[in-house]
Amino acid sequence: MSPTSTAGALHLQGVSHSYGNHQVLHDVTLTCPAGTSTAIVGPSGSGKTSLLRIVAGFLRPDAGTVELDDADITARPAHRRSIGLVAQDGGLFPHLSVGGNISFGLPRGQRTRRRVEELLDLVSLTPDYASRRPDQLSGGQQQRVALARALGRSPQIILLDEPFSALDAGLRERTRKAVQRVLRSTGTTALLVTHDQDEALSFADSVAVLQEGSLRQAGAPEDIYSLPADLGTAQFLGEAVVLESYVSQGSAECSLGTVPLRNEAPTGFASLLLRPEQIAVTAPGRGVLGLVLDADYFGHDTTALVRIHGREEEVRVRQLNAEPLGVGETIGLQVTGTGVAYPP
Amino acid sequence: MGILACLTTGIALLPLFYLVIRATDYPAADFLDVVFSARSARLASTSLALTAVVTGLCLVIGVGMAMLVTRTAIPLRRTLAVAAALPLAVPSYVAAFGWQSMNQLVNPGTTFEGFLAATVVITTVTYPYVFLPAAAALMRVGPAQEEAARALGRGPVNTFFTVTVRQAAPAITSGGLLCAIYVIADFGAVSILRLDTFTRAVFTSFSMGFDRLGGIALSSVLLVLTMVVLLVEGRFRRTSTRYAAIGPGGSGPALRLSIGPWTAPALTLAWAVVFTSLVVPGTALAYWAYRGVSTPGSIAEVAGAFGNSLWVAALGAGATTLLAVPLSVYIARRGSVIARSLERLAYLAHSLPGVVIGLSVVMLGISVVPALYQTTWLLVLAYCTLMLPLALGPAVAAALSAPPELEEAARALGKSSLTAYLRVTLPLMAPGIGSGFLLVMLTVIKELPATLMLRPTGFDTLATRLWTYTGNESLAAAAPFAVLLVLLAAIPAWLMISRMLKEEK
């Protein structure tokens, strides 16, 4: 028996907010359908935490509305909203045991050992954790307890504020998977705030990119990654190769040859976006000639900075399972797949 | 290094061990006769009643003030915070003197002494020991936990009491127990206000014909009492530290309650406490000091005592620091059982009653090293015992900030281990050692009972002069010493307060 929540569709309409003269959010409109997870991703200072605090009810927006299941909750205080909150460092109460933390938010009738153990089980912790103190847990365990505590009330929506950023790489991955699994199994609407684009792309059903307080783009992770709204978004979401090009009839002419486009672009000069893994390294003689300026070996992949022969342009290439390239080596470069063109 | 650390701890704790050894000189029956005599019972009930009442009052005042200052939006919050912490700078016997001299102004011919007087006076100077940790703990409870509670469906008032206050509870309890220890150990105020407590009885046993058995037996009771409270206090302090280890997290302002119509009464009460603690003794001190310095010769006398105070304080602080530095490096670098035990041992002497250590050193001087009796060296030994924990805290923190890796780097650059220590570790530790030295020095200047018992004949410090003149009821002559003592004690108090204010930002 797992806690299942009812509905939980979130809609933000024209939300703006300023601290003094500094406007942190500009007219943000965003919809999170019930039962889905949405990641708000943006660099630090982009206003994503303010947005989360507005949804939680800790911050009153200057303008705009917050709707949960079509009810306007903009003015409703935090404790009367049906939300769950998992903060960056868990926000566990140090004066209560794990069990005490979990039952803290439960309705009076539900504060039983069984219910606590159920919730612990939901986040893959054994019942004996109930008697432990928060400072005896690892970072990942603290986050899972925080999640169990938040889920205990069967909230309509759960808010995750950089919940994995304090964990080291391996633990982050595992905790993220665990949280994702729990959220899917309970069908809880989730809103995740993160500065880590990989996390956003892998965690959520949809991703919203926030930059300088404005929502740049929102959609499915694969759509956002393959068709970013602008170059800034493209560069934020992953390593980008940007080349000068001339667009005509659905393809772009650039220093690496002719690349078919996946977006509509008017005939004329444009910036062409490729990803480093789209540029294949071949023997010299096939494709365009390039000179290796710098190479890095990461084990599972290698990257290299290559100057295109006879041009000023440099591109970064990434190969999986390849031998490291030698600096000063001459190689061939070929583009695979399609690119995206951004007219000036 | 371990041997050196053991040695310094041993020297510092010598008086404590000596007292225990001497206690075994007497047959258990004689010893127990004194401990369980009718006089002991009377002393115990007075001491305990005073401790209980003062601690209770301190908790109410300290916690109330801390809540007002940290969690409400009352006007002039920060001013109140500073003013409420200031009584920390008033040594209890100076406050007692201040109140007595005020009483002389208002009701000449009457006396101000006894249980009630001691309760008022000691409470006004001790409540900051609850107020400061309570305020710090309340500020430390970060918005993340309060927001978590709100998100879990608790309203602001409910959150305040189930999350915020609960987390400050160990710090508040620890502060209350510290108050209790100070009251138990207090000698100056109770003797000026003529209230018979354990400390006063120990001192009397020393000054009136030197009843050794009585002194040792009563000291032992006092020692056990203090240590029990200290042990309990340590537990709560560790809990409080553990709570702090789970970070406050999150951003945004701390939750402040709006107390609406209660603002005026709360403010009135709070400022009344501050007024009672500072303005009453302060005014009297200023008045009598003005009369005191106008008598001929008084300035030279004050200057002489001031010089003596500085001299013994510098000696005491120097010796204590010398003992604390090797010990602190050992504690910071080694996580071994020995290092931890040494640290615990050193803190054993934390806020032990000065009369007990004074008595022990007197006996040590008379029986073991008569050549040193009535010299400043024994006085310095007593200071080392009393002040080691005070110097050790900043020194350990300093040693932790000078990591061994840096010393190793210097070794790798071809320096000998001594050169590496002197040129890398010691300079890095210097500010911490310096602040520890200063703190000990200023605390030594305030120290009264051990100084009274151990000073060479004819050697007077600010504290002993004040005490003598108060005994003679020469208010005008005593006041300049009191004023100087308050000014000197204000320095460490101010440092503590400014650290608190910085933390709030």
Side-chain angles (χ1 to χ4, degrees):
Chain A
M1 192 193 102
S2 57
T4 39
S5 27
T6 52
L10 177 74
H11 180 69
L12 301 177
Q13 183 64 50
V15 170
S16 297
H17 192 72
S18 318
Y19 292 111
N21 287 330
H22 177 57
Q23 189 159 11
V24 287
L25 290 171
H26 305 268
D27 194 21
V28 173
T29 296
L30 178 70
T31 302
C32 308
T36 65
S37 59
T38 303
I40 298 177
V41 62
S44 51
S46 59
K48 53 193 193 303
T49 297
S50 298
L51 195 62
L52 196 79
R53 289 169 57 79
I54 286 171
V55 177
F58 299 127
L59 195 62
R60 208 40 203 277
D62 295 343
T65 56
V66 180
E67 289 162 32
L68 194 58
D69 289 331
D70 297 324
D72 185 348
I73 59 164
T74 318
R76 196 183 290 176
H79 60 286
R80 303 223 177 82
R81 300 182 179 196
S82 179
I83 50 165
L85 177 70
V86 180
Q88 195 160 358
D89 57 4
L92 295 185
F93 307 127
H95 62 295
L96 298 177
S97 65
V98 167
N101 264 283
I102 292 177
S103 52
F104 185 93
L106 295 176
R108 242 165 242 290
Q110 280 187 40
R111 288 179 202 166
T112 61
R113 201 192 168 87
R114 241 195 72 212
R115 178 76 177 127
V116 169
E117 286 175 4
E118 247 170 46
L119 286 161
L120 278 173
D121 183 58
L122 189 67
V123 293
S124 306
L125 291 172
T126 50
D128 56 298
Y129 274 89
S131 57
R132 301 223 193 155
R133 292 195 315 258
D135 57 311
Q136 295 173 318
L137 305 183
S138 71
Q141 288 167 340
Q142 285 187 22
Q143 288 302 17
R144 282 192 275 166
V145 173
L147 181 68
R149 179 176 75 177
L151 286 171
R153 305 173 68 222
S154 311
Q156 287 173 294
I157 180 162
I158 195 150
L159 308 175
L160 306 156
D161 185 4
E162 305 249 10
F164 314 117
S165 65
L167 311 177
D168 57 49
L171 191 59
R172 189 183 314 163
E173 186 63 38
R174 275 203 307 276
T175 310
R176 186 160 68 202
K177 284 266 175 269
V179 170
Q180 203 172 19
R181 185 179 47 75
V182 171
L183 291 178
R184 291 223 170 107
S185 72
T186 53
T188 312
T189 312
L191 192 61
L192 167 83
V193 153
T194 178
H195 66 273
D196 181 340
Q197 60 281 9
D198 292 341
E199 188 166 291
L201 293 171
S202 65
F203 182 85
D205 301 321
S206 83
V207 172
V209 181
L210 199 63
Q211 273 179 322
E212 284 161 7
S214 298
L215 197 63
R216 291 294 155 85
Q217 199 175 3
E222 57 275 22
D223 295 344
I224 300 249
Y225 185 74
S226 62
L227 214 57
D230 52 51
L231 271 178
T233 308
Q235 277 158 340
F236 179 70
L237 287 175
E239 236 176 320
V241 174
V242 182
L243 296 170
E244 286 172 21
S245 72
Y246 188 83
V247 173
S248 66
Q249 293 169 346
S251 62
E253 198 72 40
C254 70
S255 54
L256 289 178
T258 307
V259 179
L261 292 178
R262 51 180 181 272
N263 67 334
E264 301 273 331
T267 300
F269 289 101
S271 298
L272 176 68
L273 167 76
L274 297 170
R275 298 290 181 187
E277 60 272 18
Q278 277 185 277
I279 303 173
V281 175
T282 61
R286 299 181 59 193
V288 179
L289 277 183
L291 177 69
V292 178
L293 298 177
D294 191 15
D296 290 304
Y297 181 66
F298 296 106
H300 50 83
D301 66 353
T302 57
T303 68
L305 188 65
V306 181
R307 172 163 327 121
I308 298 164
H309 182 70
R311 302 283 188 117
E312 288 290 292
E313 285 177 315
E314 291 167 5
V315 296
R316 187 162 284 283
V317 301
R318 177 180 289 128
Q319 297 174 276
L320 284 175
N321 290 322
E323 290 294 311
L325 295 168
V327 174
E329 202 179 329
T330 301
I331 54 170
L333 297 171
Q334 262 183 335
V335 176
T336 59
T338 55
V340 188
Y342 297 96
Chain B
M1 191 152 77
I3 297 166
L4 191 62
C6 288
L7 197 68
T8 58
T9 316
I11 294 173
L13 293 185
L14 194 62
L16 197 61
F17 297 138
Y18 188 70
L19 185 78
V20 179
I21 294 167
R22 291 309 293 267
T24 58
D25 282 356
Y26 299 93
D30 291 4
F31 192 84
L32 292 177
D33 271 352
V34 180
V35 172
F36 292 106
S37 65
R39 177 156 172 266
S40 281
R42 213 171 42 245
L43 292 174
S45 56
T46 310
S47 279
L48 293 179
L50 184 69
T51 306
V53 173
V54 171
T55 306
L57 283 171
C58 286
L59 282 172
V60 172
I61 295 173
V63 175
M65 288 267 202
M67 282 183 179
L68 268 185
V69 163
T70 61
R71 292 300 169 134
T72 65
I74 55 160
L76 293 177
R77 274 188 323 114
R78 289 171 69 88
T79 317
L80 180 63
V82 173
L86 276 180
L88 205 62
V90 186
S92 70
Y93 55 90
V94 174
F97 167 74
W99 278 79
Q100 252 184 3
S101 53
M102 179 51 99
N103 186 60
Q104 271 313 307
L105 288 178
V106 184
N107 308 307
T110 62
T111 56
F112 181 81
E113 54 189 44
F115 191 87
L116 195 65
T119 303
V120 172
V121 169
I122 300 177
T123 301
T124 57
V125 293
T126 340
Y127 79 82
Y129 290 107
V130 176
F131 167 68
L132 287 171
L138 285 173
M139 275 187 290
R140 205 172 49 214
V141 181
Q145 285 156 21
E146 285 168 354
E147 288 181 352
R150 297 290 296 279
L152 290 167
R154 304 281 177 106
V157 176
N158 189 315
T159 299
F160 182 69
F161 285 103
T162 57
V163 173
T164 317
V165 173
R166 282 287 305 278
Q167 280 185 57
I172 293 168
T173 316
S174 148
L177 291 169
L178 272 186
C179 275
I181 292 171
Y182 287 119
V183 181
I184 295 172
D186 180 73
F187 164 76
V190 291
S191 54
I192 286 178
L193 300 171
R194 292 173 225 261
L195 182 68
D196 264 318
T197 61
F198 269 122
T199 49
R200 197 168 174 226
V202 170
F203 187 77
T204 313
S205 77
F206 156 79
S207 58
M208 306 278 173
F210 205 17
D211 158 25
R212 283 195 193 198
L213 173 60
I216 292 177
L218 292 177
S219 290
S220 311
V221 177
L222 204 51
L223 211 57
V224 170
L225 212 61
T226 311
M227 294 216 174
V228 168
V229 183
L230 261 178
L231 275 179
V232 181
E233 192 270 337
R235 274 190 64 104
F236 281 101
R237 188 152 31 84
R238 276 193 296 280
T239 312
S240 173
T241 319
R242 226 182 50 221
Y243 286 4
I246 297 280
S251 51
L255 186 104
R256 286 193 190 283
L257 292 176
S258 150
I259 52 170
W262 293 98
T263 306
L267 273 180
T268 312
L269 262 176
W271 282 104
V273 169
V274 173
F275 180 83
T276 317
S277 310
L278 292 175
V279 181
V280 172
T283 314
L285 282 189
Y287 171 81
W288 288 104
Y290 175 72
R291 300 224 347 217
V293 291
S294 50
T295 42
S298 68
I299 291 183
E301 194 193 2
V302 173
F306 185 39
N308 285 347
S309 274
L310 286 183
W311 166 241
V312 287
L315 275 184
T320 311
T321 308
L322 222 55
L323 295 179
V325 168
L327 184 58
S328 68
V329 175
Y330 186 66
I331 289 170
R333 297 278 168 89
R334 303 283 149 86
S336 69
V337 182
I338 301 176
R340 272 199 304 275
S341 324
L342 283 181
E343 188 176 19
R344 284 235 165 151
L345 264 180
Y347 280 112
L348 206 64
H350 178 62
S351 49
L352 282 185
V355 279
V356 172
I357 298 304
L359 183 79
S360 171
V361 176
V362 166
M363 291 188 307
L364 188 78
I366 293 173
S367 346
V368 185
V369 278
L372 291 182
Y373 187 56
Q374 290 269 339
T375 66
T376 28
W377 299 112
L378 280 186
L379 188 55
V380 167
L381 174 63
Y383 289 152
C384 286
T385 308
L386 289 169
M387 307 298 166
L388 183 66
L390 217 54
L392 199 56
V396 170
L400 285 171
S401 72
E405 289 77 16
L406 292 182
E407 215 175 291
E408 283 164 8
R411 296 287 302 278
L413 292 168
K415 304 287 182 238
S416 73
S417 62
L418 183 68
T419 315
Y421 178 78
L422 292 178
R423 290 194 37 200
V424 176
T425 304
L426 215 52
L428 284 171
M429 286 180 67
I433 296 172
S435 69
F437 177 87
L438 212 66
L439 187 64
V440 172
M441 209 174 141
L442 292 163
T443 316
V444 167
I445 291 177
K446 290 195 296 182
E447 208 286 332
L448 178 64
T451 314
L452 272 179
M453 294 162 102
L454 288 160
R455 68 193 158 132
T457 317
F459 183 86
D460 262 306
T461 66
L462 293 175
T464 62
R465 272 266 181 250
L466 172 61
W467 198 78
T468 317
Y469 280 131
T470 316
N472 303 338
E473 300 188 359
S474 322
L475 298 179
F481 298 98
V483 170
L484 255 182
L485 278 167
V486 171
L487 292 181
L488 287 170
I491 300 169
W494 177 251
L495 288 179
M496 227 173 131
I497 295 164
S498 62
R499 200 175 312 143
M500 179 187 83
L501 291 177
K502 225 181 286 161
E503 219 169 279
E504 194 188 16
K505 275 180 206 154

